[in-house]
Each structure stands twice: as structure tokens, then as C-alpha cells.
Amino acid sequence: MSDTRVHAKGGRLQMPRSRGAASGFLLILLGAWGALIPFAGPYLDFAFGSDQEWTWTAARGWLEVLPGAATVIGGLLLLGSRNRATAMLGGWLTVLAGAWFIVGRALAGPLGIGDVGAPVAFTENKRTVLELAYFSGLGALIVFLGAVALGRLSVRTARDVAYAERPVATTLQPEPAPSEDVTEIQPTGSAEQPHRSWRDMFQGGGRRHTHAH
């Protein structure tokens, strides 16, 4: 077996998977937070709209679960894709989801989505923290990370070129060597008579002569 080096033809869309890994991982965490905190937050006395755990409303589905799930999907595309176009699709998806976290409540009335309510807090500081953690601050952070990922993906670096033109080892099977064994073919005729020495012939003749007398 022998190894040969062949240049991979990846094209301009190929890139290392690590290019969007960090941003993708952080966006997955933020998306999961945005989609789950409305239901699990009341356990921690950190509620928005309702202090009841796992309470589903249409407004929560449209304004929190939907953008959170979209952020998770976009983060997965950034995290696992080696294709630049697919990763950029994930980046744009997270940017749009983050923007929806920020402006969704303002558009909820005209779109007939409903209202998620107000922060469940008795102090102004906690209301501000809840507002940032549930909507505006969370959305701004998602938009920032998505934009950073898109900025990195839009630049084709020397590392990307080297990755697309990287040599790939291929294994070639050697051709079978000609066999050195020679097969002997025996003729199908009668077997050869065994060779008799002169001594055997004379002894045989003497025995016949004795019997004759």
C-alpha cells in the first residue's frame, strides 16, 4: 500500500469548521436561554409576565420561543458547517432572531400577536434586569455575536485558502505481482516403465534358466 497526496478541490465556499465554532456555541446558549427562561424563570423568582412555571401563551411562543429556537438553529449551523454559505445563513438567522427579541413587543400589537405582560418585580432595578435578560439586552447580544460571525465569514483568509487546497492522503492498492510459481502439466499417456539395470536383467535370466532344468 502506498500513500499519495492529492489536493482537495474545496472551492471558495470551503472553510475550517472552527471559523464559526465559538460564536455558534455562544449563540446556542443564548437561544436556549431566551426560549426556556419564560417557563423556568419563576422557579428562580425571575419571571416576566407571569409567576407561574411552564405557562404557555401565544405571545410567549411568538416573541420568546420562536426567536430563541431560531437562534439555536443558527448557532448549530455556525458551529458545525464547513460550507461558507451555510454558515452565513446561520449567521443571518441569528441576527434576525436577535432583532426580533428587541422589536418584537413593539410590533406585537399591530400584528395581533398579543402581549407577554410586564416584569414581575417590585423594584425598578429588577425590572430593568428582567427587561434586559428577557428581551432587549438578550437580543442585542445575539445581534452582536451574529454580526461578528458574519464579519469573519465574509473574509477569506490565507488559512481558508490553505484549507481548501489542503493535500488529502489517498490510499492506492498495489497491482498484484506476477506469480513465480510454475505449474507443471503432466502428459496423460501411459506411465514410463521403470529402468532395469544389467545386473537385474542377468539375474532374472539366470532364474529362468534354473527353472528350465
Side-chain angles (χ1 to χ4, degrees):
M1 299 175 63
S2 60
D3 292 337
T4 59
R5 310 298 290 181
V6 180
H7 288 285
K9 297 181 179 180
R12 297 180 62 86
L13 295 180
Q14 293 297 316
M15 67 174 189
R17 182 178 293 175
S18 60
R19 172 57 64 88
S23 298
F25 179 73
L26 293 176
L27 287 166
I28 291 172
L29 295 180
L30 292 175
W33 169 274
L36 296 177
I37 193 62
F39 307 102
Y43 288 111
L44 307 174
D45 192 23
F46 198 75
F48 199 108
S50 174
D51 58 356
Q52 298 297 318
E53 303 87 357
W54 301 101
T55 300
W56 174 268
T57 64
R60 280 187 170 181
W62 284 105
L63 299 175
E64 297 175 278
V65 177
L66 177 63
T71 303
V72 171
I73 294 173
L76 288 173
L77 293 177
L78 285 168
L79 181 64
S81 179
R82 287 193 177 100
N83 185 278
R84 192 181 305 274
T86 303
M88 291 189 72
L89 174 63
W92 280 112
L93 186 60
T94 59
V95 169
L96 294 176
W100 183 247
F101 268 119
I102 297 172
V103 304
R105 285 191 302 155
L107 300 177
L111 295 176
I113 293 175
D115 188 11
V116 293
V120 180
F122 296 101
T123 64
E124 186 65 28
N125 290 336
K126 188 173 182 180
R127 282 193 290 268
T128 302
V129 172
L130 287 169
E131 173 68 32
L132 293 174
Y134 271 76
F135 292 103
S136 58
L138 175 63
L141 187 56
I142 291 174
V143 170
F144 172 75
L145 291 176
V148 169
L150 288 173
R152 294 192 62 186
L153 293 171
S154 62
V155 178
R156 191 165 185 252
T157 63
R159 183 184 176 188
D160 296 337
V161 176
Y163 177 82
E165 298 179 353
R166 68 194 186 282
V168 179
T170 58
T171 302
L172 300 177
Q173 296 294 337
E175 296 182 358
S179 177
E180 297 181 356
D181 297 335
V182 178
T183 302
E184 182 178 358
I185 302 176
Q186 298 290 344
T188 58
S190 59
E192 295 183 0
Q193 297 295 329
H195 179 72
R196 300 178 62 186
S197 63
W198 290 102
R199 181 179 180 182
D200 293 338
M201 292 176 63
F202 283 111
Q203 288 178 352
R207 287 193 295 267
R208 287 194 298 269
H209 180 75
T210 304
H211 288 298
H213 288 283

